Amino acid sequence: MTANIKISIKKLYKIFGPEPEMALQHVKNGIEKPDLLEQYGHVLGLKDINIDMLDGQITVIMGLSGSGKSTLIRHFNRLIEPTDGQILIDGINVMDLSDEELRKMRQSDMSMVFQNFALLPHKTVLENAGTALRVRGISAEEADIEAKKWLDRVGLTGFEGHYPHQLSGGMQQRVGIARALTSNSAVMLMDEAFSALDPLIRNDMQDLLLALQKELHKTIIFISHDLDEALKLADHLVILKDGEVIQQGEPQHILLNPCDPYIESFVSEINRVRVLRVRSVMQPLLDKALDTAGSVDVNATLEDVISQSGGDTNKVYLVKKEDEAVGTICMKDLVRALVPRVPSQKEAITA
Amino acid sequence: MSFYDSLFDSLGLQDWCSNEAKAGPMTMAELLAKSKSSTVTEETSLWNMPFPSLDNLHGACNSIPRTRDMTSGVEQLFLNVKSSLQFVLDPLTQPLSWLLDGSIWLFVATPWWLLIGLTLLTVQRVTRSKGATLLTAITWFFLAFIDHYSYAVQTMAIIFVCTGISVLLGVPIGIAMSKYDRFQKGVIPILDMLQTLPSFVYLIPLIFLFSVTESKLYGIAIIMYAIVPVIRLTDLGIRLVDKDIIEGANAFGMSARQKLFNVELPLALPNIMAGINQTIMMSLAMVVIASLVSAPGLGVLVLRGINNLELGVGLVSGFCIVILAILLDRVSKATLARIDVSQSNT
Ligand SMILES: Nc1ncnc2c1ncn2[C@@H]1O[C@H](COP(=O)(O)OP(=O)(O)O)[C@@H](O)[C@H]1O
Ligand SMILES: [Mg+2]
């Protein structure tokens, strides 16, 4: 892939406490999070974060609660000031911006969707959706036209005059998304945007986001504590633990090659048959004469293949990418990939 | 001879003590002591040791001032700064006198049917509550029927002006307090003091500063007393605005000004309105006391009741004040309820 790097985080540190500079030295000398809290009374928020986010991709940052996800995403638009490090957006260091420039950036280059919606309760849905434009000083009529367009797009036609509290959680978050889209910014920050919603609604919202992304190609930073959600949305997955990145990369790759017991325990909970895709399990095309039982798409899930095979584990399928054969997948490999590597097995192998 | 003589002797301070001639009039205690001293010699035991107060120490050492010297000193201090304070405060507060006199004149000069009509119309428009409007009508007609109309109108005019000024000054102060923690720390003790001082006490310096016949005297007293809740609740209301919503406003690049007018003040409005309700009630309480310093209105009747022992006059006007209080409370609460509803329930 040759997409440009849109956002680049370099050596980012964040320490909460009265004297972060002092604590930073200790952290750089290798003190651990619990010791820092105990000995110096400072909370280590983020430690040596390095992430490159590509233009037009969805980067999902995943971790358990308290792992520093919200802290990290608030650095992108400087709602939180870093203790050390760089945040480059299109090559410009966000730290160098003046207050005025920072506000300009928040108004037009970055929009944000919040876990608890953060809509203005005293403004109508239409006014809320047009927030970004109104803040920029664009006339109310123009803002309303643009806001109406995006409200229609997220399926809220007819609710323009309602107030947020009159809507369900899912609908309120649609307003949140419409508000972010109306700003027409290239970057969207979403902090656990769907975590407060019911599972079914959450699924709808994920589909909506993917559908929107297909035509809009925004750079989306999505925070989640749910691996299923992360795998569904992510082009690039970053796993955070106690303020540190412990693994990042292509989600399917992380799923098949977890590098840390923490990730393994996460990964073992996952419904792999729905998440893993043919391309992650297939073998390169070696023997054209191989007797194949049919063909499957490179992006099909393993579940699709199993249902196509009718449960027969002796079959081999040809994998096709837009009518071109790119590999083969045999059912034996497929079934083997369904069993997660558990930590105990791995130790037995290395021993 | 006094109990503490030996103390000053032993400190070697007799010279300092006696070199200043005794000044000022004698206190009653001194007179008594003088008449006694010839007959009774005081026994200097630990048991009847007097507290080393200013007066007792003065008995042993003339250089130490008596308590009455201190109070007259405070008075002198006040008189000394009075002219310069007056020079600054008088022109500054003069508009308040005009405003009070003007609005009392206007309220009284307006024909009763017009004033009552306008009041009812305003109440209906502001509260959108039939109950509140009906209550207003009943109250006014009752007050007019028992010939307390002109007094009640004067009281209302004063409350109207004082509440208006309290809001005008109090809301900006409250906003500043919510923005600057330092400022808040400085203002809170002053608010505490204004609220705990017995209302009579801060009439005293005002009487010194301004002439009792001027309206601004009671205007200032009422405003100082009544402004506290609107300041406090504006500060509180803005501080209580949901942090997530503020963060949302920041994330979309709102300036401090946009945040204040589009987010913080609208969301703090229910609290601010509760503060205004309190301010109105406290103005009413104070306007009665302020009749001591020539504030017109129902308080004058209460005062007459007390001074002339006209029990009936005092009780009836007291009752009028109560129903006026109920009216003001209901109307401002109905307004508050309407604001709450338009924010969260409809
Ligand atoms: N303002 C703050 N002061 C001190 N500690 C903080 C502050 N904000 C967050 N933290 C700490 O930083 C860590 C990460 O918090 P957060 O980013 O909210 O996690 P997440 O969003 O992943 O649940 C937590 O341990 C939290 O206690
Ligand atoms: Mg969080």
Side-chain angles (χ1 to χ4, degrees):
Chain A
M1 238 179 269
T2 53
N4 296 321
I5 293 174
K6 179 80 181 168
I7 306 177
S8 176
I9 305 275
K10 289 191 163 61
K11 294 200 168 66
L12 186 75
Y13 287 83
K14 176 65 189 179
I15 293 157
F16 295 105
E19 282 179 74
E21 294 298 334
M22 174 276 290
L24 181 66
Q25 284 314 310
H26 295 296
V27 172
K28 286 190 169 168
N29 292 338
I31 195 170
E32 291 294 318
K33 179 172 177 164
D35 298 333
L36 185 73
L37 183 60
E38 197 166 301
Q39 292 173 24
Y40 301 101
H42 283 66
V43 177
L44 178 55
L46 294 173
K47 179 177 172 185
D48 197 16
I49 307 283
N50 295 284
I51 310 173
D52 286 337
M53 280 153 252
L54 300 184
D55 200 2
Q57 291 208 337
I58 302 182
T59 301
V60 176
I61 299 169
M62 207 206 69
L64 294 178
S65 111
S67 56
K69 308 181 296 292
S70 298
T71 309
L72 177 55
I73 202 172
R74 277 163 180 66
H75 278 86
F76 291 89
N77 55 0
R78 263 179 71 195
L79 286 176
I80 297 180
E81 298 284 332
T83 308
D84 194 30
Q86 285 189 319
I87 302 147
L88 303 172
I89 295 177
D90 294 325
I92 297 166
N93 191 352
V94 179
M95 295 312 299
D96 295 338
L97 299 181
S98 68
D99 284 356
E100 188 59 36
E101 291 167 327
L102 181 64
R103 271 198 289 116
K104 284 262 150 51
M105 184 199 81
R106 289 173 179 173
Q107 285 169 9
S108 35
D109 301 337
M110 272 195 183
S111 50
M112 197 159 179
V113 183
F114 296 88
Q115 177 170 8
N116 22 20
F117 323 134
L119 300 173
L120 298 178
H122 59 294
K123 298 267 165 98
T124 62
V125 165
L126 189 63
E127 288 167 329
N128 264 295
T131 302
L133 299 186
R134 282 164 190 258
V135 170
R136 267 183 241 166
I138 289 170
S139 75
E141 294 84 43
E142 269 180 75
D144 286 350
I145 292 170
E146 191 68 10
K148 175 92 179 59
K149 184 176 109 192
W150 289 110
L151 285 172
D152 290 347
R153 186 67 190 79
V154 300
L156 284 178
T157 312
F159 289 95
E160 292 85 359
H162 286 56
Y163 285 90
H165 62 260
Q166 296 169 304
L167 306 182
S168 69
M171 289 162 93
Q172 289 190 38
Q173 196 57 300
R174 283 171 195 263
V175 180
I177 292 175
R179 176 171 70 173
L181 292 173
T182 305
S183 90
N184 202 16
S185 60
V187 178
M188 258 171 90
L189 308 174
M190 306 181 77
D191 185 5
E192 306 219 17
F194 306 149
S195 298
L197 307 176
D198 297 334
L200 279 178
I201 308 230
R202 194 186 310 166
N203 218 12
D204 286 348
M205 298 294 284
Q206 290 161 357
D207 293 340
L208 172 70
L209 183 66
L210 287 173
L212 286 167
Q213 175 64 357
K214 218 169 197 169
E215 66 186 70
L216 299 174
H217 305 292
K218 304 228 173 220
T219 305
I220 298 178
I221 320 298
F222 193 99
I223 301 280
S224 177
H225 61 241
D226 176 9
L227 188 59
D228 282 307
E229 182 173 74
L231 291 169
K232 180 168 175 182
L233 299 176
D235 294 313
H236 184 77
L237 180 61
V238 180
I239 296 180
L240 213 59
K241 180 193 176 192
D242 291 341
E244 284 181 76
V245 173
I246 47 174
Q247 191 171 10
Q248 60 175 313
E250 217 269 4
Q252 303 266 313
H253 178 80
I254 294 180
L255 198 59
L256 292 169
N257 308 287
C259 76
D260 182 283
Y262 174 74
I263 303 177
E264 277 169 11
S265 64
F266 252 126
V267 161
S268 63
E269 296 297 318
I270 248 347
N271 184 353
R272 298 164 79 89
V273 74
R274 282 217 179 137
V275 172
L276 282 177
R277 298 191 182 266
V278 169
R279 63 182 143 91
S280 314
V281 185
M282 70 180 189
Q283 300 292 327
L285 205 57
L286 294 173
D287 187 0
K288 288 220 169 166
L290 199 71
D291 183 22
T292 55
S295 65
V296 292
D297 186 73
V298 69
N299 280 325
T301 61
L302 300 191
E303 190 178 40
D304 297 336
V305 183
I306 291 173
S307 77
Q308 193 174 334
S309 72
D312 186 342
T313 53
N314 293 317
K315 285 184 178 164
V316 178
Y317 287 95
L318 191 65
V319 180
K320 284 193 169 176
K321 185 181 185 184
E322 289 163 1
D323 293 332
E324 190 192 332
V326 289
T328 56
I329 181 164
C330 71
M331 291 301 289
K332 286 216 176 70
D333 289 344
L334 185 153
V335 172
R336 211 172 293 137
L338 292 182
V339 184
R341 272 190 301 161
V342 291
S344 56
Q345 269 182 338
K346 202 178 177 188
E347 277 157 31
I349 293 165
T350 48
Chain B
M1 275 290 118
S2 163
F3 181 89
Y4 289 100
D5 279 357
S6 52
L7 173 73
F8 288 101
D9 287 347
S10 65
L11 287 173
L13 288 173
Q14 315 96 302
D15 287 347
W16 174 71
C17 282
S18 53
N19 75 12
E20 200 171 304
K22 202 169 174 177
M26 276 191 239
T27 64
M28 187 56 85
E30 282 169 336
L31 267 172
L32 283 175
K34 207 168 193 179
S35 61
K36 273 188 203 164
S37 60
S38 48
T39 50
V40 189
T41 40
E42 272 177 62
E43 203 178 326
T44 52
S45 79
L46 198 61
W47 187 251
N48 48 18
M49 173 177 83
F51 187 84
S53 66
L54 284 180
D55 280 352
N56 286 328
L57 292 175
H58 178 82
C61 174
N62 283 337
S63 292
I64 291 177
R66 287 164 300 180
T67 299
R68 60 174 303 168
D69 297 330
M70 186 195 68
T71 45
S72 69
V74 170
E75 188 175 319
Q76 203 53 50
L77 189 84
F78 212 89
L79 288 174
N80 287 342
V81 295
K82 176 183 165 172
S83 57
S84 44
L85 258 182
Q86 248 177 346
F87 185 75
V88 180
L89 288 181
D90 233 13
L92 214 63
T93 51
Q94 197 51 44
L96 181 59
S97 283
W98 298 332
L99 213 55
L100 282 165
D101 294 338
S103 70
I104 291 174
W105 174 85
L106 185 70
F107 273 50
V108 172
T110 313
W112 63 268
W113 45 267
L114 185 60
L115 189 70
I116 295 183
L118 282 177
T119 315
L120 292 182
L121 215 66
T122 317
V123 169
Q124 175 61 31
R125 288 205 49 189
V126 171
T127 64
R128 306 255 170 87
S129 141
K130 282 212 177 66
T133 315
L134 194 67
L135 182 72
T136 315
I138 293 173
T139 310
W140 274 123
F141 281 114
F142 174 75
L143 288 171
F145 188 67
I146 61 168
D147 284 307
H148 280 58
Y149 172 80
S150 61
Y151 292 103
V153 159
Q154 288 170 341
T155 300
M156 290 300 260
I158 296 172
I159 293 176
F160 188 74
V161 170
C162 291
T163 307
I165 293 176
S166 295
V167 172
L168 239 47
L169 296 176
V171 170
I173 295 176
I175 293 171
M177 280 171 71
S178 70
K179 297 289 167 199
Y180 306 103
D181 286 347
R182 276 260 201 71
F183 183 62
Q184 190 202 31
K185 279 221 176 72
V187 171
I188 280 182
I190 302 176
L191 296 183
D192 288 341
M193 190 193 74
L194 287 179
Q195 216 164 20
T196 45
L197 269 185
S199 7
F200 293 110
V201 173
Y202 58 102
L203 290 180
I204 296 169
L206 290 175
I207 292 170
F208 261 90
L209 278 178
F210 307 109
S211 109
V212 183
T213 51
E214 282 180 292
S215 323
K216 63 184 171 193
L217 171 60
Y218 64 79
I220 293 172
I222 295 171
I223 290 169
M224 289 215 304
Y225 187 64
I227 199 171
V228 180
V230 68
I231 296 180
R232 275 194 208 278
L233 280 150
T234 303
D235 173 38
L236 183 76
I238 291 181
R239 281 172 189 268
L240 284 183
V241 172
D242 192 346
K243 290 284 168 291
D244 291 334
I245 293 177
I246 297 292
E247 191 171 52
N250 281 330
F252 282 93
M254 283 198 195
S255 64
R257 206 188 147 80
Q258 287 173 321
K259 245 186 314 184
L260 182 66
F261 288 107
N262 295 328
V263 184
E264 289 167 324
L265 280 182
L267 293 184
L269 200 58
N271 270 316
I272 298 176
M273 282 302 296
I276 295 177
N277 167 272
Q278 294 276 304
T279 290
I280 293 175
M281 300 318 286
M282 290 175 75
S283 305
L284 181 63
M286 194 60 190
V287 78
V288 176
I289 291 168
S291 60
L292 282 173
V293 286
S294 78
L298 289 167
V300 173
L301 292 182
V302 177
L303 201 65
R304 201 171 95 197
I306 297 171
N307 285 345
N308 306 351
L309 284 180
E310 294 179 42
L311 191 64
V313 174
L315 282 180
V316 170
S317 51
F319 178 71
C320 290
I321 289 168
V322 171
I323 58 172
L324 219 53
I326 295 174
L327 174 69
L328 287 169
D329 187 51
R330 285 304 123 127
V331 171
S332 52
K333 285 227 175 95
T335 315
L336 175 65
R338 207 194 106 212
I339 289 170
D340 273 345
V341 163
S342 67
Q343 280 209 346
S344 55
N345 297 327
T346 22

